[in-house]
Amino acid sequence: MIWLVFALLTGAAVMSVLWPLARRGEAADPAATDIAFFEEQIAEIDRESAEGRLSREDGEIARAEAARRLLRARAARAGEAKPSRRNAVAAAAFAILVVPALALLVYSRLGHSNLPDLPLQARLEAAPAHSDLASAVARIEAHLAEHPEDGRGYEVVAPFYLRNGRAADAVDAYQKALRLLGPTPQRHASLGEARVMAEKGRVSEEAQRDFEAALALDPKSAISRYYIGLAAAQNGERDKAIDLWSKLLGDSAPDAPWRERVTALLAQLRGAPASEDGAKIAAMPQGAQLQAIRSMVERLRGRLEQNGEDVEGWLKLIRAYSVLDEAAQAKTALDGARKALANDRDGLARVDALARELGVGG
Amino acid sequence: MIVETGHFALVLALALAIAQAILPFAGARLRDASLMSVARPTALAQFGLVALAYGALTYAHVVSDFSLVNVIENSHSLKPMVYKVSGVWGNHEGSMLLWVLVLSFFGALTAVFSGAMPDRLRADTLAVQGLIGAAFVAFILFTSNPFARVADPPWQGRDLNPILQDPGLAIHPPLLYLGYVGFSIVFSFAAAALIGGRIDAAWARFVRPWTLAAWIFLTLGIAMGSYWAYYTLGWGGFWFWDPVENASLMPWLAGTALLHSAAVMEKREALKVWTIFLSILAFSLSLLGTFLVRSGVLTSVHAFASDPARGVFILAILTVFIGGALALFALRASALPTGGLFAPISREGALVVNNLLLTVCCATVVIGTLYPLALEALTGEKISVGAPFFDTVLIPIALPLIFSMPIGQLLAWKRGDLLGALQRLRAAFAAGVVAIAIFAALHGAPFLSVICAGLAIYLVVGAFSDIAMRAAPRGAPLRSIVSRARGLPLSAWGASIAHAGVGLTLLGLAATGWGVEQIVAMKPGVAYDVGPYRIAIEDVASRAGPNYAETYAVMAVREGDATLARMEPAKRFYQARRMARTEAGIVTLGLGQVYAALGEQHEDGTIDARLYYKPLVLLIWLGAVVMALGGACSLADRRLRIGVAARARVTTHAQAAE
């Protein structure tokens, strides 16, 4: 279908060349337009003199000058331009062969004739409601555009933003939810957490204020206590952080989800490494840290090249490369995993799922 | 399908532009009428194809088709519709497509309105236009393709730069491009004349409307851009001598010079070589401006290196077209027959002076724009050349230019009577002197403002002296004056109106010296003096716009106890780009304005604000509109022009024009 449209367009373009060639227009005398111009100029002078806008004297001078030019133009009369059959055929061949060929050549290198138009509205309608997260977000955004006072909508969409890495949008959404729906400890804490994400893990003063506001409403809010502890740790107030987190651990249930992480952090602060490698790396300066991580990744890659049946290993490797922003390496690792796990259907599915999640390998 | 059809149309436009460049050109050389006649339909088809491509891109922006990189990077599904449409030219790729659209538009117009033109001139002109089109379409397709797609489209775009989300952007670039790129057709005419070797009054007659049209659009575009900068950048300034602004001023100065020298050429067949040169210069400066703005050189010489493909490509286009045209000029100019003779004191002589001064202005702007770039490239040192340089150099050139404008209008063709002209300007001189006295008494210092304001009044009155003399010769009855004034050629009215427009702009510029600027931390409720008015904040609040949130202050402008008007300066925050923008509050009182821009808001409730009182400021832009109006009058005058020379008394003083 689209090629039919292309063909019609090309046909129209080619016709714009062929049509005048076929008409074999009368050749005009090249001097004729000049002669006409000066004759008109003289007529104009006569008209102006007749209407009294030019004095007789001025008119005569101007007339003499124009007449002189008219004579010169008449003298310059050149031979008429003649159309020739041979030229016309060559030009037609150029139009029929070169124009479409050039267009096709360039388009085949640049164009995507197989890609349809993808207007946002149509995509939203086509995607089933729960199919994927991103379209759900777009749907809520469209709803919020029409109902900007719907605080619930902002509260619903914010966690999606966080998951998609749009932390700044999440901050904005939580702020609006807080303003429209009124303060709760949960809302303050979520806003603070979003701010921390937006700052790439740093607990800013603004975020701290949010957590403090949450604690003012609910002194038990575990998430706020965790982040205030983290702020203290980031600011080098080690004792304060240890104190806050110890109390948090003391207050939490044995199966609280944050227990593991807080324990590990506490252990790190107290000097006892949580795991040997991790602690060593954490202690290094930044450049060396990266170096160490890279050498660990290389060791892992070496091991997998020897023995490729380790699904967990492959997943770790692909993830590591993608975190290090080495797309090419991640792609190589992905290909390696697919080859090594060719007989392991479950493993393969997990690798593919990860690849999609990280956007590795298209 | 629409998007890819647009893409294909653009590719096809490239192929057809090549045909448009080759076939008519060959026809003109072979003297083959049917080959030459290919020029017109291909120019029309060319415009149709580019318009189709442009329409497809606009469609993609309107429906938020995020499978186009260009839409992802510059649009947002929540953006108001008008900015979805204007956002098409608010980015590099789209604005280049608009550039080509305007280029092909002028080609098509020439094809339609060139019935009376000699075949060879038309064929060569459209061939050169086709060649320029081919070069720029290739530039778009190979280095900045707006139709680049992604396989996995995101669900939201990154939004348009907030500064560009303004009604000003919806009008400014199209106007500017119509002017800027409009000179392309004049360039093509010049190149065609040089190729064909025939340059005469008829040529000037054909070129006149195109020069005028381009000049009108450029004048309006520059004025619009300046007003836009004035109310969005929040500093109260209207011209920053920014290289991007200079890029549009350079072709304007050259184009203004061209307009005047083309008049001499049409009426008297003099100044031919110079007119051709200016035609080449005007478009070359447009190309230079495009290069400066589009290659990334301006942000930094080093940004240029980061995307060399684009910069080098435009540089190559620049070199080929400017170099080619100048080479052609060097080859042919000496062979051109010299035209009419004239004495130094004559209309022609005055126009030569005008041309020299305008060209010097233009050269000053070129140097001021390029020197910092050259210096940075050679030594790495960053300097900025701003108002102090341009004011110091341009004012001494501009003042004599303005002083001589009404005098030139009153001189006769071929040989004029300077003393007589000065005598006839008595009224204008008197008006100027009275104005100086009045302005000095009203405002006093600065001295330069008073002088400029007087000069401006002199210019406005002087601009109409010519019309007055011709409509009302001594002792003419009242009744005949009206009919005579009506009978005067529109082009004479056009010249007077345009010159008066320059006077109005000058008056507005002079009045900036009497403006008042206050930077204060405003307490709500307290009134602050700004010139003759008092401004107080009545309320501070926030509200949400479609894709931004803003904090605004309601300010009352008072005179004595009466509140004259309220304004709402605001600070907007655009979420998608995480950028803030100030929205100035402006109240127009007569021809002056009160202008407020918000700064920081403090904890104790005070707000930093810049408050300005700008007397007569509107005249700066109204003057430009009047200039454009004068141009339009002149454009409407379809009659042939005749230069009437005064009868020779002393023939020995006459000399060759070139």
Side-chain angles (χ1 to χ4, degrees), chain A residues 1-3 5-7 9-10 12-14 16-17 19-21 23-28 30-31 33-34 37-38 40-41 44-45 48 52-54 57-62 65 69 72 78-84 87-88 91 94 98-99 102-104 106-107 110-113 115-121 123-124 127 132 134-135 138 141-142 145 166 168-169 172, chain B residues 1-5 7-9 11-12 14-16 18-19 22-23 30-38 41-42 45 49 52 59 63-67 77-78 115-120 141-142 145 147-151 153-156 198 200-202 205-206 266-269 272 340 414 484 487-489 544 575-576 578 639-648:
Chain A
M1 176 58 188
I2 193 160
W3 286 100
V5 178
F6 288 3
L9 274 180
T10 315
V14 171
S16 75
V17 179
W19 176 61
L21 287 179
R23 249 183 353 151
R24 322 218 43 126
E26 280 296 298
T33 45
D34 276 359
F37 175 81
F38 292 121
E40 235 177 284
Q41 204 170 37
E44 181 80 34
I45 294 168
E48 295 232 325
R53 267 181 281 134
L54 259 181
E57 202 174 280
D58 288 350
E60 264 168 29
I61 296 170
E65 214 172 315
R69 294 195 192 131
R72 224 182 309 150
E80 286 180 15
K82 287 191 192 75
S84 102
N87 292 342
F94 182 91
V98 178
V99 170
L102 190 63
L104 283 181
V106 174
Y107 184 78
L110 301 175
H112 303 275
S113 57
L115 271 186
D117 292 351
L118 292 169
L120 189 62
Q121 194 58 39
R123 282 166 67 201
L124 288 178
D132 79 87
S135 79
E141 280 178 341
R166 292 166 64 183
D169 289 326
D172 184 54
Chain B
M1 198 179 91
I2 297 177
V3 171
E4 286 303 318
T5 305
H7 194 177
F8 184 75
V11 174
L12 200 54
L14 171 63
L16 194 61
I18 293 173
I22 294 177
L23 297 179
L30 297 169
R31 295 184 177 278
D32 183 320
S34 69
L35 278 195
M36 285 193 274
S37 66
V38 168
T42 45
L49 289 172
L52 194 61
Y59 165 80
V63 301
S64 299
D65 185 337
F66 292 124
S67 66
S77 63
L78 302 185
M117 217 181 275
D119 283 347
R120 289 178 61 192
L141 284 172
F142 297 120
N145 193 339
F147 293 105
R149 310 280 298 262
V150 292
W155 291 91
Q156 193 49 280
R198 298 204 34 202
D200 48 27
R205 163 84 181 79
F206 293 126
E266 184 181 343
K267 293 190 183 176
R268 303 271 311 135
E269 282 218 11
K272 282 186 197 173
K414 205 161 178 181
R484 272 167 174 278
L488 284 177
Q575 185 57 40
R578 312 200 52 71
R639 302 170 334 136
L640 297 174
R641 292 183 182 179
I642 324 148
V644 178
R647 181 170 290 285

Side-chain angles (χ1 to χ4, degrees), chain B residues 296-505:
Chain B
V297 161
L298 285 183
T299 31
S300 155
V301 176
H302 309 291
F304 178 61
S306 71
D307 188 1
R310 267 179 200 174
V312 171
F313 204 122
I314 303 195
L315 198 58
I317 295 179
L318 199 78
T319 316
V320 169
F321 283 102
I322 302 181
L326 290 180
L328 203 56
F329 180 74
L331 273 177
R332 293 292 182 125
S334 54
L336 293 177
T338 46
L341 306 173
F342 59 85
I345 298 210
S346 62
R347 182 78 74 92
E348 294 95 318
L351 288 167
V352 168
V353 171
N354 140 302
N355 266 252
L356 283 178
L357 292 176
L358 279 172
T359 322
V360 173
C361 284
C362 187
T364 307
V365 178
V366 172
I367 291 168
T369 311
L370 294 185
Y371 179 70
L373 292 174
L375 193 69
E376 195 194 338
L378 291 177
T379 67
E381 193 186 341
K382 264 185 177 290
I383 57 162
S384 72
V385 172
F389 166 77
F390 290 105
D391 288 352
T392 321
V393 182
L394 290 183
I395 290 178
I397 307 173
L399 292 187
L401 175 63
I402 289 164
F403 182 76
S404 60
M405 274 164 66
I407 302 176
Q409 269 183 291
L410 287 174
L411 290 176
W413 292 100
K414 205 161 178 181
R415 63 189 65 73
D417 174 10
L418 185 60
L419 222 58
L422 291 178
Q423 260 174 14
R424 284 188 284 170
L425 279 175
R426 272 173 313 204
F429 286 128
V433 171
V434 171
I436 287 180
I438 292 175
F439 283 119
L442 276 178
H443 297 285
F447 182 63
L448 187 63
S449 287
V450 176
I451 293 295
C452 285
L455 201 55
I457 299 293
Y458 152 78
L459 178 54
V460 174
V461 176
F464 288 104
S465 296
D466 177 41
I467 293 270
M469 297 296 161
R470 286 162 75 174
R474 203 173 296 268
L478 199 63
R479 211 154 21 89
S480 77
I481 291 177
V482 178
S483 70
R484 272 167 174 278
R486 270 212 204 122
L488 284 177
L490 271 177
S491 61
W493 280 102
S496 294
I497 294 173
H499 282 191
V502 177
L504 293 182
T505 295

Side-chain angles (χ1 to χ4, degrees), chain A residues 13 79 120 124 126 130 142 157 176 182 253 266 278 361:
Chain A
L120 189 62
L124 288 178
H130 306 291
V157 80
K176 284 180 175 149
L266 261 180

Side-chain angles (χ1 to χ4, degrees), chain B residues 511-517 612-615:
Chain B
T512 53
W514 302 315
V516 178
E517 175 179 357
Y612 301 87
Y613 165 57
K614 295 173 167 293

